[in-house]
Amino acid sequence: MRITLAALAAVTALLTATPTAAAADRTPTCRAPKHPALAKQLARDIRAALAHRRGTVSLAVHDDRTKVDCTLAPATRYDSASIVKVLMMEATLRRAENRDRPLTRWERGNVRPMIRSSDNTAASRLWNDLGHPYLAATLHRAGTTRTSLGPYGYWGLTRTTAADQMRLLAALTGPRSFLSAGSRAYGLKLMSEVQKNQRWGVPAGMPRGLRAHLKNGWLPRATHGWRIHSIGAFTGAGRSYRIAVLSHDNPSMKYGVRTVERVAQAVHRALNKGRAAGLGLTPPEEISEIPDGSVPPDAPELPGPYGLQGLATP
C-alpha cells in the first residue's frame, strides 16, 4: 500500500506542477546561423532583463532580416486573456477572403473596436459568429500546435503559447501567410492604432522610425495571479521583426508590465544596435490595475496543468 500511495503522490505532483519551477532557468535559446554574436548577445541581455524578476515568463522573437530566433519556455501554456482577439481578427479576415468578399459593415464594426480599444462585447459577437470550428481551422492554417480554444464562451480562457503567438503574428507579416496582402495590411493598421493606455509592453525600447503593431492581455485569476501578455510586430526603416512575451504568476499588473518591458528593451536594443531608443518604459502611474475583462470574475477555474506538454486540457 505504501508503494501505491507513493506512486500516486508522484503522479499527482507531476500533474499539478505549475510552470513556476519549470521556468526557473531564465536563459533563452537564441539562434542566428549568420549572426552568432547577435544571438549570444540577445540570450545574455534577456537573461539579465529577467534576473531577480518573479513570475513565469515565456517569449519568442524572430527578426526577418538577420533570421535570429530566440525562445524561452515557448511551449508553456497560458490563459490568453485579450491577445486571443488577434486570432479572431485573422479568422474574420480569412472568412471574408474565402467567401470572395470584403469585410461586411458588421464585421468592420466589431473588428475595429475589438483591436483598437479591446472591446469585449465586440469580441464576444465575433467569437459566437465565427464559432469554434472556424476558429480552430484558422489555428490549423497558422500552424499552431498547443493553442486550445476557451470553452463555454470563455474566449479569454483560450490557452496558448509564445510559440503559437509568434505563428499568428507571422500570418500578418510573413511571406507565406494564409492572408492576402490587403488583409495583412488592414490587420496591421488596426494593431498600430491601439489606444494609448493599452500601448505598454513590447514597444518599450523601440527606436524611432519603427511602427509597433500590438495587442496586449492583462487578467488576474485566483490561480497564477496576473496574466500579463504583450505581442507585436515591428516594421519600418528596413526592419521587420516580431516579439511575443507571455507571463503569469505576477503579483500585480504593474509588476508584470515592467517585466515584459524589460525583455522588450533588451530585444529592441540588440536588434537595432547603435540606434537610440525612442520609447521608454511605461510610467507606473499610467498602468492601471483594472483587468481587461476578457474573463468574467465568476468564471470557473479550468482543470488541467499549464506547462506540461501532452497533459493540458484541450
Side-chain angles (χ1 to χ4, degrees), residues 18-128:
T18 69
T20 303
D25 183 4
R26 297 293 184 83
T27 303
T29 299
C30 298
R31 297 184 177 88
K34 294 185 178 180
H35 300 274
L38 173 60
K40 185 176 181 179
Q41 179 186 350
L42 257 178
R44 181 178 63 246
D45 291 354
I46 291 172
R47 181 179 183 180
L50 290 173
H52 311 300
R53 301 300 291 179
R54 296 164 58 188
T56 300
V57 182
S58 296
L59 65 89
V61 176
H62 176 78
D63 179 24
D64 290 326
R65 187 170 74 181
T66 62
K67 307 304 180 187
V68 64
D69 283 295
C70 203
T71 61
L72 174 65
T76 297
R77 303 176 85 214
Y78 299 81
D79 292 331
S80 66
S82 282
I83 60 172
V84 72
K85 293 168 181 174
V86 172
L87 165 63
M88 288 189 247
M89 177 185 71
E90 292 181 359
T92 303
L93 293 169
R94 177 175 177 261
R95 182 175 64 178
E97 288 186 8
N98 286 347
R99 296 178 179 178
D100 196 25
R101 62 166 175 79
L103 293 181
T104 65
R105 180 180 297 180
W106 183 89
E107 288 169 334
R108 287 180 182 272
N110 284 290
V111 170
R112 282 197 299 262
M114 179 182 69
I115 298 299
R116 288 173 169 176
S117 61
S118 207
D119 186 282
N120 293 322
T121 300
S124 293
R125 289 176 185 147
L126 286 168
W127 180 267
N128 293 329

Side-chain angles (χ1 to χ4, degrees), residues 217-279:
W218 58 105
L219 176 71
R221 297 278 282 159
T223 58
H224 292 294
W226 277 87
R227 290 94 167 115
I228 302 296
H229 311 320
S230 187
I231 63 173
F234 300 86
T235 60
R239 302 304 306 272
S240 174
Y241 57 93
R242 304 182 290 279
I243 305 173
V245 185
L246 310 186
S247 69
H248 60 207
D249 298 317
N250 294 292
S252 68
M253 180 172 173
K254 289 182 176 66
Y255 189 93
V257 169
R258 185 62 75 241
T259 297
V260 170
E261 292 190 337
R262 287 182 61 170
V263 172
Q265 277 188 320
V267 174
H268 289 299
R269 182 172 59 245
L271 295 183
N272 299 279
K273 192 172 183 178
R275 298 182 63 188
L279 190 65

Side-chain angles (χ1 to χ4, degrees), residues 277-300:
L279 190 65
L281 298 173
T282 303
E285 62 272 16
E286 294 182 12
I287 304 172
S288 75
E289 295 293 323
I290 301 174
D292 64 13
S294 57
V295 178
D298 59 350

